[in-house]
Amino acid sequence: AGESVAIAREAHKIKGAARIVGAVELGEAAGALEAAARGQDGALVPALVADVATAVHRLALWVEGRWPR
């Protein structure tokens, strides 16, 4: 249960930050992860963590394309 609370808390932070910067896909993925963790639906968590990671990667690619180094 403690791990679910921690996952939900971190997912909530990611969701909020993503929404502030307009990263809709990341915000939605983090929101789904938060909901699963709060509902203690541990079976869904690994796939939803992967969705968050994919959304982060896609955001990084978009940022790099928009503002190359």
Side-chain angles (χ1 to χ4, degrees):
E3 187 172 274
S4 293
V5 170
I7 291 168
R9 185 179 324 117
E10 296 306 312
H12 182 79
K13 291 177 191 177
I14 294 167
K15 178 180 74 175
R19 287 180 173 174
I20 287 170
V21 300
V24 175
E25 179 185 359
L26 178 55
E28 289 175 355
L33 175 58
E34 178 186 12
R38 287 197 192 286
Q40 297 189 0
D41 195 345
L44 293 177
V45 168
L48 294 171
V49 167
D51 289 348
V52 169
T54 297
V56 167
H57 181 70
R58 289 169 54 104
L59 176 60
L61 291 174
W62 180 84
V63 168
E64 182 63 31
R66 181 92 163 111
W67 295 285
R69 297 179 206 197

